[in-house]
Amino acid sequence: MKLNTSSEESVEQAYAQLPSQDQPILMQTDCPEQLMQNNTQFIRAMRNANPEVWDWNIDTDEVYFSPQWKAMLGYQEEELENHLSTLESLTSPEEWAALVEKAEQYITNRSGCFEVELRLRHRQGHFVWVRGSAFTLSNSAHSPPSHLMGFLVDITAQKKAESLNTWTAKILEMIAKGASTVSVYTEIALMYESRHQGLRCSMLELDGDTLLHGGAPSLPKAYCDAVHGLKNGPNIGSCGTSTYTGLRVLVEDINSDPKWADIKHVALPFGMRSCWSEPIKSSTGKVLGAFGMYYNHPALPTQDESDDLTSAAMLAGILMDRDHNQKRIQELAFKDPLTGFASRASLYIDLDAFIAHSAANNQRFSLLYLDLDNFKDINDSLGHDIGDLHLQTIATQLESVCLSSHFIARLGGDEFCIVAKEASDTVLASEIATCYLNAVSTPCYLSGRKHTQTSSIGIAFYPQDGTDSQSLLKAADTALYTAKDHGKNQYAFYSKALTKQAEYRLKVEQYLREAIENQSLSLAYQPQIELRTGLCVGVEALSRWYHPELGQVSPIDFISTAERIGMIQPLTELVLKTACTQAVNWQLQGLGSMRVAINISPNHFLDPDFIPLIKRVITDTGIQASNLELEVIETVAQTEHKNLPVFAELKELGVLLAIDDFGTGYSSFASLKHLKLDCIKIDKYFIDDLLTDNKTQLLVGSIIEMAHNLGCSVIAEGIEALGQVEILKRLGCDIVQGYLFCEPSSPESITALLRNECDHNL
């Protein structure tokens, strides 16, 4: 290839005639002297055309380095010798070997292109990345190359950017994969330290107002220990001030800056003279810590250093955000946010640990299962917000009893579990349970009103009541039900008999839903006899349930179960419709207008659908409202203002209202003052002693007289002896019912009884 050029030609012309890199430059001429002259002229033109050019004389190993090339590495013209060994001294052995091998292959093969990236050591010690490209010069097509000539371009900025991106991607991957915080801190610090010679980095976490050492791989441990635990503030170094203000803090000279006045003695001995700090913030802007950059000389950041300070804090913020989120998740999983006690999940883990330790050391401990009595009433009447505040108060009361050997967890709602390690026998367990019962019952205030909360506790022992967490919790829960059944506000111990009861109770719950949905329950009716005439004037409808597996289930069991599992409303609706339909059928059969009495759960008076339900039953069955009597216990009829409107609406419908089991509840006489009642039923508790106790006769007589004066009729239930009937007649009782007359019977039996009455009257 012939290249026509001279020293007078323009650089642009020289460039325009350059060959591609895979073609050697061949100076074609018949005169050897002219060849040499052409080569010399071309080389001179190339050197003038590009300040970054270099030229290696292959025969002599002389290398031309341009003054600009030397300046790029921090050297003056005369400070670098123009020899190939100079280039070797500026590279690492590995990179020099690779460079020589590639050059030899290119020179030998004269094909392809020569391009290489390598690092050259700057005079100040750091490396400068360059990209070199070259071509050969030959005197003829058959002669070997005499020169390798090319260009060097400084690509340090590009390499730094590539390295930053690669390293950042690695760090983000470490964060995503859950690498340890310390290892990620180290990677972040080393990455930015590699970008600026002499730079040292540190990350501090903020816990409340306290600075905690996070990571600083290049800083002395003594310095890290000294700043660990410092309180942040407006003049606590760079990082302490930055976390306090939430703003960047640049300290050019630690020795003279007032922000370092109180703590410079911990930095200066280690050579630190300047410190720049950027607050590390969460995605929501909350200050989580600070990223610090240190130099051993007074300085303010360049634009690159300033940008790196910003990006370093952002990267550290991603990590701290992850850790804070993980900590929050951990707290949500293992700590109850309302009370601060351990959560259900935490209880299972710790209880398993207690069991393993006790098994290894042949030790016993007790598990207390505590439940607040009637807590649902607080939520229903005052709202869940007040209920939550009340639970926090209870938690404080429980904590006042808790010893270091106790572990308290909230299972949810109003249920708590307490592991008492030292309670290895019933005596100690009883004492501890009593302390917790007393603590819960400490008077407190709910919506400004004084309130005394009670609780019930079930107690189980490891290992006799359970050898794993599930069986132990089940045993304690079973014992809790016993405490509840025995009147609440007390504790009870577990026994195997309780397990059978619990299993039975569970089966009742399972089958009761089906029975109500399938309407497989039945009703029995007990006649109510008017003492004056001896005639049946009404019946009380009583639920009955026979199950093929369970047999005859007691109403006490399945009615309380229905209330507990939320099935009392459909059960009551079934009873109301069945009983009212039966009363109407008796009337249609010519057996007289029959009043039917039905017990109503207190829960219905908090149900907004209760009044609409009564209206539907009256409409659907066709019963006269005056033939429907609803029996409620005294606690419903008390002065609770929320129940009064319900009673008023029932009276507007014409429905009869009766107080059941009168005399055994609370505030009996106060109840009668606010309500328009039709009937009072005297509890069997009084009737049983009527023949043997004069005081009972006086009480019953007083109840009857008071009821009559208030316009109420009186029914005495549980009559089993003629003597009781005679006394009740004398005292003026209106109606009686009991086994003396008829036990609860099927509709057919009652139909026969009513028909006999009709035939007798005829």
Side-chain angles (χ1 to χ4, degrees):
M1 174 181 179
K2 184 176 181 180
L3 180 63
N4 297 319
T5 183
S6 68
S7 60
E8 290 80 16
E9 287 182 317
S10 67
V11 172
E12 289 80 3
Q13 290 174 316
Y15 276 149
Q17 297 186 58
L18 285 176
S20 61
Q21 289 193 42
D22 60 349
Q23 292 178 319
I25 295 178
L26 180 63
M27 300 297 178
Q28 296 183 0
T29 179
D30 295 333
C31 179
E33 290 79 8
Q34 184 65 37
L35 283 171
M36 294 296 295
Q37 183 181 356
N38 287 345
N39 274 346
T40 302
Q41 290 176 346
F42 176 75
I43 292 170
R44 185 181 303 116
M46 289 297 297
R47 291 178 181 179
N48 291 334
N50 194 318
E52 295 172 336
V53 73
W54 60 279
D55 174 27
W56 172 28
N57 188 321
I58 299 173
D59 297 328
T60 66
D61 272 350
E62 290 179 326
V63 180
Y64 168 77
F65 301 112
S66 69
Q68 293 86 349
W69 192 91
K70 295 177 181 180
M72 178 179 67
L73 299 178
Y75 294 96
Q76 298 295 326
E77 168 68 24
E78 67 279 1
E79 290 182 304
L80 286 180
E81 183 181 352
N82 290 327
H83 195 272
L84 193 62
S85 60
T86 300
L87 184 61
E88 181 180 3
S89 68
L90 296 175
T91 62
S92 67
E94 295 79 14
E95 289 180 297
W96 172 251
L99 175 63
V100 170
E101 181 181 359
K102 189 163 188 178
E104 289 177 346
Q105 289 178 352
Y106 179 69
I107 293 169
T108 301
N109 298 329
R110 298 193 189 187
S111 62
C113 64
F114 181 84
E115 189 170 279
V116 65
E117 292 181 357
L118 71 157
R119 296 177 302 161
L120 300 177
R121 187 178 290 105
H122 194 275
R123 183 174 186 176
Q124 294 180 355
H126 63 277
F127 283 96
V128 176
W129 274 99
V130 297
R131 177 182 293 118
S133 57
F135 53 86
T136 57
L137 289 175
S138 298
N139 294 329
S140 69
H142 303 290
S143 64
S146 59
H147 285 262
L148 186 65
M149 185 176 229
F151 308 94
L152 284 179
V153 180
D154 185 348
I155 60 170
T156 302
Q158 175 186 336
K159 280 295 185 179
K160 279 190 173 183
E162 291 175 356
S163 175
L164 179 65
N165 291 337
T166 302
W167 214 332
T168 300
K170 174 187 175 183
I171 290 171
L172 291 174
E173 183 179 9
M174 291 175 68
I175 295 173
K177 289 184 175 180
S180 70
T181 301
V182 172
S183 65
V184 181
Y185 278 151
T186 299
E187 285 295 322
I188 294 174
L190 293 177
M191 177 175 70
Y192 287 99
E193 289 172 357
S194 70
R195 291 172 56 79
H196 307 285
Q197 187 177 18
L199 180 68
R200 291 185 284 180
C201 298
S202 132
M203 277 143 287
L204 291 174
E205 300 173 349
L206 186 64
D207 184 12
D209 62 351
T210 303
L211 299 172
L212 303 176
H213 169 67
S218 302
L219 287 177
K221 182 178 183 300
Y223 173 76
C224 297
D225 292 341
V227 298
H228 181 77
L230 283 177
K231 302 293 183 183
N232 69 346
N235 288 292
I236 306 297
S238 301
C239 292
T241 305
S242 178
T243 55
Y244 184 81
T245 62
L247 302 172
R248 171 179 287 192
V249 174
L250 302 178
V251 172
E252 182 177 7
D253 191 344
I254 291 174
N255 188 43
S256 60
D257 195 290
K259 287 186 286 295
W260 278 84
D262 294 335
I263 59 172
K264 65 181 180 181
H265 63 280
V266 303
L268 295 177
F270 301 107
M272 289 176 275
R273 289 296 302 273
S274 57
C275 180
W276 318 320
S277 180
E278 182 80 6
I280 299 172
K281 297 182 179 181
S282 69
S283 56
T284 60
K286 179 183 177 182
V287 176
L288 304 177
F291 191 95
M293 290 183 169
Y294 298 83
Y295 275 118
N296 286 2
H297 56 272
L300 288 174
T302 64
Q303 186 60 52
D304 284 347
E305 290 167 334
S306 179
D307 291 343
D308 280 356
L309 182 58
T310 300
S311 62
M314 293 177 64
L315 195 56
I318 296 173
L319 174 62
M320 289 190 183
D321 235 354
R322 181 203 73 174
D323 289 350
H324 278 251
N325 289 334
Q326 287 179 342
K327 183 178 179 182
R328 179 60 178 156
I329 292 171
Q330 188 86 353
E331 287 180 350
L332 291 174
F334 298 107
K335 186 176 181 180
D336 174 49
L338 184 65
T339 65
F341 289 152
S343 66
R344 179 188 291 269
S346 180
L347 172 67
Y348 290 151
I349 294 173
D350 289 319
L351 187 54
D352 285 338
F354 292 148
I355 290 174
H357 176 78
S358 299
N361 294 277
N362 195 28
Q363 294 175 339
R364 291 156 48 98
F365 67 85
S366 63
L367 177 67
L368 282 64
Y369 203 126
L370 184 148
D371 180 83
L372 303 183
D373 297 332
N374 305 315
F375 177 74
K376 184 176 183 297
D377 293 343
I378 295 175
N379 278 338
D380 291 342
S381 59
L382 300 178
H384 287 272
D385 290 342
I386 299 299
D388 286 348
L389 291 174
H390 184 53
L391 285 173
Q392 291 175 331
T393 299
I394 296 301
T396 301
Q397 293 170 340
L398 291 174
E399 203 166 20
S400 68
V401 178
C402 184
L403 302 176
S404 60
S405 57
H406 294 180
F407 175 84
I408 303 182
R410 178 180 176 227
L411 298 187
D414 60 335
E415 295 181 325
F416 301 85
C417 265
I418 304 159
V419 177
K421 300 178 188 177
E422 80 278 22
S424 58
D425 56 50
T426 56
V427 175
L428 283 173
S430 298
E431 293 175 353
I432 293 171
T434 301
C435 288
Y436 281 108
L437 289 174
N438 292 339
V440 171
S441 62
T442 302
C444 59
Y445 286 88
L446 283 175
S447 295
R449 298 173 60 182
K450 191 173 183 179
H451 176 75
T452 299
Q453 178 68 58
T454 63
S455 61
S456 301
I457 296 177
I459 305 173
F461 289 98
Y462 172 84
Q464 61 266 42
D465 296 332
T467 56
D468 57 70
S469 57
Q470 291 295 330
S471 60
L472 200 58
L473 282 165
K474 180 181 178 182
D477 187 32
T478 302
L480 171 65
Y481 272 102
T482 301
K484 293 279 189 183
D485 291 343
H486 289 175
K488 304 178 181 179
N489 193 27
Q490 58 185 282
Y491 61 83
F493 290 100
Y494 171 78
S495 68
K496 290 185 178 180
L498 297 178
T499 299
K500 294 182 178 180
Q501 294 177 13
E503 292 173 351
Y504 176 77
R505 183 169 59 242
L506 180 61
K507 288 183 177 181
V508 170
E509 291 180 6
Q510 293 173 339
Y511 296 135
L512 181 60
R513 293 180 185 274
E514 299 176 5
I516 294 174
E517 292 171 357
N518 299 333
Q519 299 186 9
S520 58
L521 279 76
S522 61
L523 291 185
Y525 300 90
Q526 187 169 39
Q528 296 176 334
I529 309 300
E530 187 178 53
L531 283 176
R532 182 177 59 84
T533 63
L535 298 177
C536 177
V537 294
V539 293
E540 179 179 4
L542 302 168
S543 299
R544 295 291 184 265
W545 179 31
Y546 177 83
H547 187 270
E549 179 182 340
L550 302 177
Q552 194 71 43
V553 183
S554 166
I556 296 175
D557 290 339
F558 72 77
I559 291 177
S560 62
T561 299
E563 291 180 338
R564 188 171 62 251
I565 66 175
M567 294 295 291
I568 192 64
Q569 197 274 348
L571 173 59
T572 301
E573 183 171 0
L574 174 62
V575 171
L576 281 167
K577 288 184 176 180
T578 303
C580 291
T581 300
Q582 183 61 64
V584 171
N585 287 339
W586 281 326
Q587 187 173 3
L588 293 175
Q589 293 177 42
L591 301 178
S593 180
M594 184 66 58
R595 185 186 71 248
V596 61
I598 300 169
N599 285 284
I600 299 298
S601 168
N603 292 335
H604 284 301
F605 286 82
L606 299 174
D607 184 358
D609 191 50
F610 180 54
I611 296 299
L613 169 63
I614 298 300
K615 290 180 179 179
R616 288 198 307 272
V617 169
I618 292 174
T619 301
D620 293 348
T621 63
I623 192 173
Q624 296 179 14
S626 58
N627 282 340
L628 174 60
E629 181 178 87
L630 302 181
E631 296 183 357
V632 296
I633 59 176
E634 283 185 88
T635 53
V636 179
Q638 288 177 27
T639 56
E640 290 288 348
H641 61 86
K642 62 180 178 293
N643 292 335
L644 297 180
V646 180
F647 279 97
E649 289 188 69
L650 290 172
K651 290 306 298 178
E652 289 180 8
L653 292 176
V655 173
L656 302 180
L657 297 176
I659 297 294
D660 195 16
D661 301 333
F662 186 82
T664 60
Y666 305 101
S667 305
S668 304
F669 294 101
S671 307
L672 305 181
K673 175 182 176 182
H674 298 275
L675 302 173
K676 294 181 180 180
L677 298 172
D678 298 287
C679 181
I680 289 176
K681 295 189 73 174
I682 300 176
D683 188 74
K684 186 177 184 296
Y685 170 80
F686 294 99
I687 304 303
D688 288 343
D689 297 334
L690 200 59
L691 295 175
T692 58
D693 186 14
N694 290 331
K695 290 183 180 180
T696 300
Q697 292 186 22
L698 290 173
L699 287 172
V700 172
S702 298
I703 293 172
I704 293 172
E705 182 179 2
M706 176 195 65
H708 287 166
N709 289 335
L710 293 174
C712 298
S713 61
V714 179
I715 299 177
E717 56 184 349
I719 307 300
E720 297 180 357
L722 285 173
Q724 294 170 336
V725 176
E726 296 301 323
I727 294 175
L728 289 170
K729 275 186 178 181
R730 177 167 53 81
L731 295 176
C733 183
D734 301 297
I735 300 171
V736 291
Q737 71 178 85
Y739 276 39
L740 177 65
F741 305 101
C742 183
E743 63 182 49
S745 304
S746 66
E748 294 75 17
S749 298
I750 300 300
T751 299
L753 184 149
L754 295 175
R755 199 174 300 281
N756 285 337
E757 280 191 355
C758 291
D759 294 342
H760 179 75
N761 290 334
L762 291 175

